[in-house]
Amino acid sequence: MKEQIIKFNKHIAAMAVVMLFAVALLSSSMAMAAVHSFNFTAKTLPNGQLGYATGGADAEAVIPGPALFVKQGDTIQITLTNNTAVDVGFNVPGLVNSNSAKATPGQTQNYTLHANKTGTYVYHGDNNGKELLGLFGAIIVDKKNGPIDSFVNGDGSIVPVTQADLDKQFVLFMVGSTFWGTEISADGVQKPLWAAPDLGAVENDLVRFHVLAIGPGHTFHLHAHRWLKTDTATVIDTKLLNDGTDTHSFTIKAGSGVGPGDWQFHCHLIAHMEAGMHGSFRVDAVGSGDGASVVGASPYGNILLGARPSEPGVVTLEVSDEPASWFRSPRGDAIVGLPFDIKTKSLEVMYPGSSVNFVMSDTNGVHTISSLLWPSGAHHMPFDQSAAYRGGGIVKLTTPGLYVFTCKVHPYMFGAVIVDDPETPGLDLGNPAMDYKIDLVTGITGLPTSSDLAVRLLRTFFVATSPSNWQDYSTGIWNLKFPTLPVRISGAPFGNIEGGGLALALSALNVIDAPLAVGAAPEKPGVGEVWVNTQFEKTAGKYKPGTTTVVDTTNWTVKRKVALPEINNNNPHNMWTNRDQSVIYQTQWFDTKLSMINRETGALIKNITVGNTPSHVVTLPSNDDLTIAINGENGVAIIPAGTTTVSKMLPTQAHGHTSANPHGHWVSADGTKIVTPNINTNDIGIYGATGGIHARTPTGNNAPGAHPIAIGMMPDSSKIYAANLLHHSLSVVDGASGALLKTINLIADYNPIDGSFADNDGNGAIAVGVLPIQSPVSPDGKAVVIAATGGQIVIVDTKTDKIVKMLPCDPGCHGANFGAKEGGGYYAYVTTKFGNRLTVVDIDPDNNGDISDAHIAGYVSLVDTASTAKDDTVSSLPGFGGQGVLAVPNVYNGWVQNLPDVWKNGLTAAQRNPIGH
């Protein structure tokens, strides 16, 4: 018994020793763990971007934010004061945070984080995309003791590295398609390198890189150097960074194995490199250079109202889903507030040598950043991307003049930058060294900025990007106002050239208190309904724009508004219907979705993910399968009838080739062919409905940038018509072979210099179609009706393929489609983006086959009334953004024959069989 007690006591004693050791170890660990307190302030920088500052009230905000270095086990305490106009948080994916709340403007919040594991972490502002404007930085959590990393030596050996061994560190953020950088010296001093810097080191320096991504993912690659994959002995020279937030840290010995030189670093995605996501890592030989980095473009630099004009500056344009503000300056509100009557938030001003940065921070779609026009002789122009994606871009501009950018997928998105020579009076619109002329992406060079075409393009920009300049028929008057700022153009309008140019206030183009009446409705009713995608109309229950407006053609009233707030319906763009006309299929062009809508009630049936930026939808008349043009990608998605998932994607370009990016397609009446206008490859594609490329027909006549955007097709599929947006032309193609038969110049009667009109093509009619978009053929095959953004409706006789009539249209004329007219014949329904009425065209009022007497039968306001059924309350931009338009019942050949009797009974015999009469 005594022995058992002794053994028990020894056991207790041993346990006590272990416990005491554990307590001592824990106490030691706790004693070694540090608490780091940082005071952060979120601020607005001079260019409108946002950034974090540490220190006192006068501390400068930087992008990226200050890098925080701590050890594993440490505690980080953040006090955040928000001096911006938006809510700002402090979110660190991967670390436990005590507080998820955001600081409202003027408020302070406290956050406590525990650095419980090593690694590099992104911290960001957690504010719905605004963090991409600069509210991001790095937290580096290193091991408490010993080496923090290893590098690959020139002989292949792996050498451990301590913090004290490092000569410098770089923090590089990959955001949009721009690198934002910070350099950290051996003694810990941080220096902002800003946007698109070039990095430097001396040969054999030990350099640690912290590469981080926020937003869309990237692939980082550094030439001539290798490093270790994290926590492995695997040697790599490229690292994929995933969407959302992702990081990668590594250490190199500068020039190891290769010596001094300029070594490129970049994103390995081609479109991202094209957009400016690249830089140089210069390694100087020992004794021949100091290894200094070259600071990039600063938000404080040489821009309008910049704080430090001696430094290269950067202005930023956010890519957005917001109507008119598709390219929006983050300081747009401040610019509009200047005393110059500026109505647009899509205009920036800077000085030569500064850069423009684009970031897709507020969009669900994919886009390109593409030059539309630029000063003659400008460097780095045209700027373009070979593929649409979610990202951005950066480009340095050195030549004075006006630069206008667009998205090839959404070609009415405009952003403009004026690079001004401060030595010339007025803001330069063209290159002073070349008589203030500009070049266009279509191949036109040396266009005087005093020309009528240049003035029309300016007018289009200031209308498209300024909702106060849109034609609101509910107000009864129209005011079109331009900035009072003087600009310098080639000479006096229109087309004059004067030495040294001429300073002229744009406000000379103003239209003040012009009467604006909706106009009378058509006297004769239509058949059924007309569905209009009022893509810009905003409603209270969602933050994305867009509704669908349903017009009753029996009395020409708005019977319903379909907003679909439950799915945050985003920019509804085009529609089709199923055979029995019970379901409306609708694309969301700035998103990834196709919506199925109950036609009778307007209720949502299903919201389906189909691909990036779906544009148009058409069913196959042979089996009612859906074909959806995936405008942001390279194909046509197929959804079999009666199902709600994509079964396959038909490629519109061979594998490995540039994406075609199809837009407004059409289908042959027998359902065997799909015809697409391919905006990125400037051709028409004819494809089998089950797959296979039958023909590819270029539409540009060997000139760049035709931008085919919409297809029309004869009811017997014998001819195909394609509208070429930027060439202002209509291509006529053989429906069987795909051979180009004719190109109809829609501006042949227009003199772009002085603006005069004459029958230059000798067809007996003076007609112009500037920037044509939708171009359907009437169900009976008599006419093509073209909606031209420049404000015209052009009628083409399909017998002769000649223009026979031009009718007026509101600014931003866009959509066109045919529906049945009561008693026989057809109405063409035409929509406009920047006016809120529907135009109804009777192409053959006498029904005698002579379409030269086509006329406007009437107009319909698209603004809701007290009797309009709604699923949400219209809050702004009432009835605006008219784009896709669909008449129900569908009376095109191939589809009309499949209508139920309840719909056929309302049609004439000729309408029921349009090519049999």
Side-chain angles (χ1 to χ4, degrees):
M1 182 69 173
K2 185 177 180 180
E3 292 179 357
Q4 290 178 337
I5 292 174
I6 291 172
K7 289 181 179 179
F8 178 74
N9 288 338
K10 287 182 177 179
H11 180 68
I12 293 295
M15 289 181 62
V17 170
V18 172
M19 290 177 66
L20 286 171
F21 178 77
V23 169
L25 184 63
L26 179 61
S27 300
S28 173
S29 176
M30 291 175 66
M32 292 176 64
V35 176
H36 304 271
S37 297
F38 301 95
N39 292 318
F40 271 61
T41 304
K43 296 184 176 183
T44 301
L45 283 68
N47 71 346
Q49 289 188 248
L50 308 178
Y52 288 117
T54 55
D58 296 331
E60 183 177 274
V62 292
I63 305 174
L68 307 182
F69 289 85
V70 299
K71 298 290 187 180
Q72 185 177 12
D74 289 354
T75 297
I76 307 168
Q77 294 180 340
I78 303 292
T79 298
L80 171 64
T81 300
N82 182 10
N83 288 345
T84 76
V86 299
D87 293 350
V88 175
F90 195 88
N91 186 25
V92 188
L95 294 183
V96 177
N97 193 336
S98 66
N99 185 5
S100 61
K102 300 174 187 176
T104 59
Q107 186 186 43
T108 296
Q109 287 277 358
N110 295 300
Y111 306 86
T112 300
L113 302 108
H114 300 287
N116 56 334
K117 53 184 177 180
T118 59
T120 301
Y121 300 91
V122 174
Y123 68 79
H124 64 80
D126 192 25
N127 51 351
N128 299 321
K130 289 290 184 184
E131 63 269 15
L132 300 185
L133 290 178
L135 288 171
F136 49 81
I139 296 177
I140 294 92
V141 181
D142 284 324
K143 296 175 182 177
K144 187 170 294 295
N145 300 298
I148 59 172
D149 205 351
S150 298
F151 70 90
V152 181
N153 213 344
D155 61 3
S157 61
I158 296 174
V159 183
V161 178
T162 67
Q163 183 74 41
D165 295 330
L166 296 175
D167 293 290
K168 63 173 60 179
Q169 300 184 68
F170 292 113
V171 173
L172 284 178
F173 265 87
M174 304 176 79
V175 183
S177 286
T178 303
F179 281 104
W180 290 86
T182 301
E183 181 177 303
I184 304 165
S185 64
D187 59 3
V189 175
Q190 301 191 20
K191 175 185 177 181
L193 297 179
W194 302 117
D198 288 326
L199 311 181
V202 174
E203 188 178 4
N204 297 323
D205 278 354
L206 292 184
V207 183
R208 194 180 186 197
F209 282 77
H210 307 283
V211 182
L212 308 94
I214 181 169
H218 299 280
T219 301
F220 179 82
H221 176 57
L222 172 61
H223 287 201
H225 291 80
R226 301 173 299 154
W227 60 90
L228 296 178
K229 185 177 179 180
T230 305
D231 295 329
T232 74
T234 302
V235 177
I236 61 174
D237 65 2
T238 303
K239 180 64 170 72
L240 173 66
L241 298 171
N242 294 316
D243 291 348
T245 60
D246 201 359
T247 68
H248 180 58
S249 292
F250 62 92
T251 301
I252 62 168
K253 187 176 183 180
S256 180
V258 292
D262 278 313
W263 312 110
Q264 191 179 45
F265 62 91
H266 57 84
C267 179
H268 235 310
L269 300 174
I270 297 297
H272 297 202
M273 281 193 287
E274 291 172 332
M277 191 164 250
H278 54 78
S280 176
F281 177 46
R282 191 189 74 256
V283 178
D284 291 334
V286 176
S288 65
D290 60 5
S293 299
V294 177
V295 176
S298 164
Y300 296 89
N302 198 19
I303 63 175
L304 178 68
L305 306 179
R308 297 197 289 267
S310 62
E311 299 177 7
V314 61
V315 297
T316 289
L317 294 174
E318 294 180 82
V319 178
S320 166
D321 295 342
E322 187 70 15
S325 295
W326 300 288
F327 285 92
R328 177 181 63 214
S329 169
R331 58 175 181 168
D333 290 335
I335 289 175
V336 169
L338 294 173
F340 301 114
D341 210 16
I342 300 172
K343 304 296 184 183
T344 177
K345 298 179 182 179
S346 300
L347 175 67
E348 266 291 359
V349 179
M350 65 185 196
Y351 304 100
S354 292
S355 299
V356 55
N357 172 52
F358 303 90
V359 59
M360 299 180 191
S361 57
D362 188 27
T363 179
N364 292 351
V366 296
H367 305 274
T368 70
I369 312 296
S370 303
S371 296
L372 190 60
L373 62 85
W374 57 89
S376 295
H379 300 292
H380 311 301
M381 290 290 123
F383 184 76
D384 196 14
Q385 292 163 304
S386 59
Y389 67 101
R390 292 180 185 86
I394 189 167
V395 59
K396 184 177 181 179
L397 303 177
T398 57
T399 305
L402 173 66
Y403 298 78
V404 178
F405 299 90
T406 188
C407 168
K408 289 187 292 189
V409 177
H410 310 88
Y412 55 73
M413 295 173 60
F414 299 128
V417 177
I418 295 176
V419 178
D420 185 48
D421 180 352
E423 301 301 320
T424 59
L427 298 176
D428 303 305
L429 294 192
N431 186 351
M434 302 187 73
D435 293 321
Y436 297 90
K437 294 177 181 177
I438 58 175
D439 296 346
L440 307 184
V441 71
T442 54
I444 295 175
T445 60
L447 181 71
T449 46
S450 58
S451 67
D452 184 77
L453 178 57
V455 171
R456 284 177 181 267
L457 292 173
L458 266 180
R459 179 187 175 103
T460 298
F461 172 81
F462 282 106
V463 170
T465 62
S466 310
S468 62
N469 284 336
W470 297 355
Q471 292 186 335
D472 186 352
Y473 284 90
S474 64
T475 66
I477 59 170
W478 183 39
N479 286 291
L480 174 59
K481 293 187 177 180
F482 297 84
T484 57
L485 282 169
V487 296
R488 183 157 288 271
I489 59 177
S490 301
F494 290 90
N496 296 289
I497 297 178
E498 301 176 19
L502 174 71
L504 179 72
L506 285 174
S507 53
L509 302 172
N510 285 358
V511 175
I512 304 298
D513 291 341
L516 200 63
V518 174
E523 292 184 5
K524 181 171 287 190
V527 176
E529 301 169 342
V530 176
W531 286 58
V532 178
N533 285 136
T534 34
Q535 191 170 318
F536 304 157
E537 187 168 60
K538 304 195 75 174
T539 62
K542 62 191 183 84
Y543 62 87
K544 291 297 185 182
T547 66
T548 303
T549 301
V550 185
V551 174
D552 185 340
T553 67
T554 64
N555 55 20
W556 304 112
T557 61
V558 175
K559 65 184 293 186
R560 186 179 300 279
K561 291 278 186 177
V562 181
L564 304 180
E566 66 270 36
I567 60 168
N568 203 17
N569 185 29
N570 185 8
N571 281 274
H573 182 66
N574 211 268
M575 298 163 291
W576 205 259
T577 185
N578 65 342
R579 280 183 173 179
D580 67 10
Q581 318 294 285
S582 64
V583 178
I584 301 294
Y585 305 113
Q586 175 180 271
T587 59
Q588 296 178 51
W589 194 24
F590 283 62
D591 218 294
T592 60
K593 304 293 196 301
L594 174 90
S595 302
M596 298 174 63
I597 303 168
N598 184 303
R599 188 195 60 79
E600 291 189 359
T601 66
L604 178 70
I605 298 171
K606 188 81 172 179
N607 200 35
I608 307 166
T609 298
V610 293
N612 283 314
T613 311
S615 53
H616 284 226
V617 54
V618 183
T619 60
L620 296 177
S622 53
N623 58 16
D624 221 23
D625 286 357
L626 280 71
T627 68
I628 306 137
I630 307 301
N631 201 187
E633 299 184 34
N634 184 41
V636 175
I638 305 296
I639 298 180
T643 71
T644 58
T645 57
V646 174
S647 64
K648 59 183 173 181
M649 179 85 81
L650 303 180
T652 46
Q653 175 70 296
H655 180 70
H657 292 244
T658 301
S659 293
N661 298 101
H663 188 83
H665 67 298
W666 202 263
V667 172
S668 62
D670 62 4
T672 62
K673 295 179 182 178
I674 300 170
V675 184
T676 67
N678 299 323
I679 64 162
N680 202 39
T681 50
N682 296 305
D683 60 33
I684 299 166
I686 304 176
Y687 310 92
T690 57
I693 300 174
H694 292 184
R696 296 286 295 278
T697 306
T699 63
N701 289 327
N702 298 315
H707 206 106
I709 195 167
I711 297 294
M713 205 165 186
M714 290 291 286
D716 61 0
S717 306
S718 59
K719 285 190 292 186
I720 297 164
Y721 294 85
N724 300 303
L725 176 72
L726 297 182
H727 276 196
H728 318 284
S729 66
L730 186 72
S731 295
V732 187
V733 173
D734 184 275
S737 67
L740 181 66
L741 302 176
K742 184 177 184 180
T743 299
I744 303 172
N745 183 356
L746 299 178
I747 57 170
D749 293 348
Y750 167 61
N751 184 319
I753 303 300
D754 63 18
S756 61
F757 294 88
D759 185 16
N760 297 320
D761 55 10
N763 63 4
I766 297 176
V768 170
V770 177
L771 301 171
I773 303 187
Q774 292 190 12
S775 52
V777 179
S778 59
D780 56 11
K782 294 178 181 177
V784 181
V785 171
I786 305 166
T789 294
Q792 306 89 25
I793 300 170
V794 178
I795 314 294
V796 172
D797 189 331
T798 59
K799 291 180 180 177
T800 60
D801 287 330
K802 292 183 178 180
I803 299 170
V804 295
K805 195 70 174 282
M806 178 180 72
L807 301 170
C809 193
D810 294 334
C813 198
H814 186 107
N817 225 330
F818 283 92
K821 182 173 61 174
E822 185 180 89
Y826 300 94
Y827 281 137
Y829 298 105
V830 180
T831 63
T832 60
K833 296 184 287 288
F834 311 123
N836 53 3
R837 66 177 180 176
L838 177 70
T839 301
V840 184
V841 175
D842 193 336
I843 60 165
D844 186 9
D846 301 325
N847 202 27
N848 60 2
D850 179 9
I851 62 170
S852 64
D853 58 358
H855 71 277
I856 294 175
Y859 301 94
V860 183
S861 169
L862 296 177
V863 178
D864 62 310
T865 66
S867 61
T868 301
K870 295 183 280 284
D871 60 355
D872 201 3
T873 302
V874 175
S875 57
S876 63
L877 305 180
F880 282 106
Q883 291 179 56
V885 55
L886 173 71
V888 179
N890 184 339
V891 291
Y892 287 101
N893 186 51
W895 288 271
V896 66
Q897 290 87 350
N898 294 321
L899 289 175
D901 288 342
V902 66
W903 289 106
K904 285 184 178 179
N905 292 339
L907 304 176
T908 66
Q911 290 169 333
R912 290 195 296 269
N913 188 15
I915 63 171
H917 285 75

